[in-house]
Amino acid sequence: MTMAERDRQFDVLSDRLADLHRADGPADTSDVITAVTGPVGVGKTALLQSLARRCAETGVAYLGASASRSERTVPLEVIRQLVRRATWDETDRERVGRLLDRAVLRWGETTDEEALAPLTAALGGELLDLATRTPTLIAVDDVQHADVPSLRCLDHLARRVTGLPVLIVLTEAPRTRAWHPTAYAELLQPARLHRIRLPLLSADGTFRILADRLGVPAARRVADEAYRISGGNPLLVHALADDHPTGADAPVPGEAFREAVLSCLYRCELLVLKTARVLAVTEEPLHGPLLPHLLDLPTEPNLSAVDPSTSAGLVTADGLRHPAVRRAVLDGMTVEERARLHRAAAQLLHDDGAPPTRVAPHLLTTDELTEPWMAQTLLDAGEQALTDGDVDTARRYLRRANRDCPDECLRARIRSALARAEWRLDPQAAVPHLNGVATAVRAGHLGSRQAAGPIQYLLWHGQPDRAVELIHHLGERADSLDTHTAVDLMIIRGWTATLYPGAPVDAPGWPIPTRDPLALARVRHRLRGVLLLRTVLERGDLDALEDAERTLATLSLDDEPSMWSAVCAVIAMIYADRLDLADEWCDRLDRIASARRHRTPRALLTAVAATVAGRRGDLHRARELSDSALNRLSPKGWGVAIGAPLAVRLWTLTRLEEWEEAAACLRTPVPPALFETPFGLHYLHARGLHAIAAGSPEAALADFQLCGQLMTSWRLDLAPLVPWRTESARALLQLGRRQQAEKLVREELDRLRPTDLRWRGIALRVLGTASEGPDRIRYLRGAVRLLRQCGARVELAHALGDLGQAQQQAGDLRQARSTSRAARDLAEDCGIPALRPAVAAGRTAAADPDADTGLLLTGLSDAESRVAALAAQGHTNREIAERMFLTVSAIEQRLTRIYRKLDVHSRSELAARLRFDR
């Protein structure tokens, strides 16, 4: 073992060894005993071994022995080891052996030291005779564990070697109490003792050992942390070096470190070992109130004796030195030992009135929750951990309480809290607890406060009927004078009406605290996000938007209900078309939700951010964010809210013309209750737009009309939610029903508010597509102006393309080229693969042969029009596939659909059909 910071101590021992060869005897004849003192593991044994090698080099006889705790009661064991190393002839060895055997028998028969004194003197005399023959070093390692007869013999020898070439070197570790105080004190009399102290290493000494073991570069990286972990104990430093992985930037305590810690503790006094175990379990400071009561000792221990010197540096005033030391101590205990200490600690803390958060960790390892207070303590600690944002800890407490709680009412409250905890990390994990909570509500075991969260989870998972049933049950059972219950019910009903606008949440005879201003203020506070969302949708004014900003600025966001209110406020900003503010708040809220571990709101926030990116025209970012949102939760975990990220993803993939992925998106299963929520409206909208692009206007029209029916029945017929009239007009135009399309668009324009710039611009573009002559250009110019003003870049790019086509048909070729170039540049910036102007049903396209791939043919989607034009020009299927970045089989499938839609059977007929259309 590498020795560091031990040179001075070894030089002192070497000088004393050299004095044995002086002609006039040792220089100092008073201190014939040298005691090397230091904590366990600091290198005392290594120092003795080096001294033994020096004896061999200088011709000094070496008699060595090592004491141990397990042999304390074996008489004369240390003396027997010394005699075994003596260079006697066979006669002397047999004589001394018989003397030893007789002494051992006598010490076993009686404890009268006066009667045993002759035997002690005889053995001491034999050692003295041996030592006087040649310069001799007598060394005993760990003398604090030596047996009493051996201590007596060594004392006899020490009193007679003054002036003789004999040096006695003893090593000892500081102890909490001496094994045999009288014999030990007589041997180590200060008058004849020279003490050498071996302290724990300094930071520099730790570095030197690590540099020798690992190299200087690695030692520089890990030395400081290694010193904090080991406290300068050389044995632990070497163990850290043994565990160190190549190239690591920090120590990695492993198996060698664990064994070194346990070795140190087993070699320390029993009080130190038991103290370390209690500290490992309780994680309290050394002089905390629990330690004296938990130490399983027959008498009151003197804990002041436990310090870094007696504990090998493992125990400090703050407890165990490092978490790695704690893990090692726990690994050295049996499961039963840990459970016993934890249970005892929990009982003591509970009796002293400690808060549940201090008691609960000790209850996790108990076999059974036999006391009534135990499950309640775990519930209280779990709810506090939820408030603090420590979801993992809350789940551990609540799962433990749920497993053994015998009381039905308390168990219902535990399951409600457990559902909230599981919800934070994965909404699907809360589902197994919802049935039990629902049963508890019906049985009257839970009130509105505990049932609020699980009812919202039922709504999230597409079970509005069960949620409404529980709401009605709570309302029927509520006392009209119970203001708190009435407030809770109003909040639950508000969230239910927001998520399921058609749900029958109202019932006659419910308590409504209309006369209590404090209760109403609490309702408004908890429903701030919901009220803002409804206000923006219904009024769309700037005052509501200012309220949204003010709400976000004042929300604490520490709990999940506040986070949901914040999400609603951001959605209100999107509906008000303030995408810059919405994007900024999405980033802020995402950081807060990540820090607080609000996983479910964070997933929905990512979907909201994807919506913002899509509306701002950043299609690739919208796709990345929607993918990220869907990956944050499982499909079942998303519940009905899956409509939000799925709608954004489907809309984005449709715009990017990634048809196979879009089709896969449509195959994602969604709960039937999705179409009873606003999330379903957005999903229907995206599905309808995909159907239009895929050449299925009938399916698109059905989706848009379903949106209209739902929004009308919910009294939410507002274009910022879904502009179903405008989108229905698109489908009608593709079906050739121009007059119906124009009527719907004009109806939409009449209903729009002055602040609805985006939706007015989109409607004007569709109206321009349905119009002819000068009106077409006028409408399209109005659409371009409004869409540019509100920043709707994707729709603006398409409107510019339509305007360029209209200008070209009107003969304004110069302006058409400029407009079309602006459309292409904007489309490229947005990530749109290819921009082609829409053509109304029955209208002919431009005659420019180079524009064949930019035509939209009646009854064909954008992609099908491109395939038809390229095929008519004579390109092979492989050439078309390479040009459109598709597979050959995909082109073949599209050609099959094109032939069927246009009623042609060959490429020549297709070319003739296209020439006829022109």
Side-chain angles (χ1 to χ4, degrees), residues 325-464:
V325 175
R326 176 177 180 266
R327 291 192 295 270
V329 176
L330 290 175
D331 287 344
M333 300 172 64
T334 65
V335 175
E336 292 76 12
E337 287 174 330
R338 291 199 300 268
R340 179 184 60 80
L341 283 175
H342 276 298
R343 187 180 182 88
Q347 186 69 58
L348 286 171
L349 289 170
H350 173 71
D351 293 343
D352 289 342
T357 51
R358 284 194 63 197
V359 183
H362 299 294
L363 295 175
L364 291 176
T365 59
T366 57
D367 295 333
E368 295 181 356
L369 304 180
T370 54
E371 300 293 332
W373 59 268
M374 292 181 173
Q376 181 66 54
T377 298
L378 286 168
L379 171 60
D380 294 341
E383 290 182 329
Q384 182 61 49
L386 276 178
T387 302
D388 297 338
D390 190 353
V391 185
D392 288 331
T393 299
R395 286 200 307 170
R396 288 199 299 272
Y397 292 161
L398 296 170
R399 285 177 175 177
R400 181 68 188 88
N402 183 57
R403 191 164 66 243
D404 281 346
C405 180
D407 183 81
E408 289 299 325
C409 291
L410 182 58
R411 187 183 181 88
R413 292 176 53 201
I414 292 170
R415 297 202 71 173
S416 174
L418 184 55
R420 297 201 306 273
E422 299 286 5
W423 174 268
R424 291 281 183 91
L425 299 181
D426 184 5
Q428 182 62 23
V431 172
H433 305 292
L434 298 183
N435 289 333
V437 171
T439 303
V441 171
R442 296 188 192 99
H445 297 325
L446 286 180
S448 56
R449 183 68 53 85
Q450 294 83 17
I455 287 175
Q456 292 180 8
Y457 307 154
L458 288 172
L459 296 172
W460 178 277
H461 284 294
Q463 301 182 46

Side-chain angles (χ1 to χ4, degrees), residues 668-685:
T668 301
V670 296
L674 169 66
F675 303 103
E676 301 176 39
T677 71
F679 298 120
L681 297 178
H682 295 296
Y683 179 78
L684 288 171
H685 183 203

Side-chain angles (χ1 to χ4, degrees), residues 78-148:
V78 171
I79 299 301
R80 190 180 294 278
Q81 292 183 46
L82 294 175
V83 169
R84 194 175 293 124
R85 297 183 64 97
T87 55
W88 281 324
D89 57 27
E90 193 63 30
T91 302
D92 290 340
R93 187 176 297 280
E94 288 181 2
R95 176 174 51 80
V96 175
R98 288 194 297 271
L99 180 60
L100 265 174
D101 292 339
R102 188 167 66 256
V104 169
L105 288 174
R106 288 286 295 146
W107 275 92
E109 294 172 354
T110 180
T111 58
D112 185 0
E113 294 193 14
E114 291 185 5
L116 297 170
L119 285 174
T120 303
L123 287 172
E126 293 292 345
L127 288 176
L128 180 63
D129 177 66
L130 177 63
T132 56
R133 299 179 185 181
T134 182
T136 303
L137 171 64
I138 298 176
V140 179
D141 196 13
D142 286 335
V143 72
Q144 74 273 8
H145 296 313
D147 59 277
V148 173

Side-chain angles (χ1 to χ4, degrees), residues 248-287:
D249 293 331
V252 183
E255 184 65 21
F257 182 81
R258 185 186 71 84
E259 292 178 354
V261 169
L262 296 179
S263 173
C264 288
L265 288 176
Y266 293 151
R267 289 160 59 192
C268 291
E269 296 297 312
L270 182 62
L271 176 61
V272 174
L273 174 62
K274 292 198 171 187
T275 299
R277 288 175 171 175
V278 172
L279 294 177
V281 168
T282 62
E283 298 185 72
E284 294 215 339
L286 176 61
H287 300 293

Side-chain angles (χ1 to χ4, degrees), residues 379 439 605 658 671 802 834 838:
L379 171 60
T439 303
L605 271 172
E658 298 185 9
D802 290 351

Side-chain angles (χ1 to χ4, degrees), residues 749-813:
L749 289 169
D750 290 340
R751 294 174 58 88
L752 289 173
R753 298 164 297 198
T755 55
D756 296 332
L757 302 183
R758 177 185 297 266
W759 315 114
R760 187 173 296 277
I762 292 173
L764 285 175
R765 181 200 166 204
V766 176
L767 184 59
T769 304
S771 303
E772 295 180 351
D775 287 343
R776 183 183 182 211
I777 294 180
R778 178 166 60 86
Y779 290 141
L780 289 174
R781 281 177 176 167
V784 167
R785 176 178 57 82
L786 293 173
L787 294 172
R788 181 179 285 119
Q789 184 177 346
C790 68
R793 300 198 309 158
V794 172
E795 290 294 344
L796 176 59
H798 285 286
L800 284 170
D802 290 351
L803 180 58
Q805 177 70 7
Q807 290 168 340
Q808 182 179 3
Q809 289 182 347
D812 190 354
L813 300 182

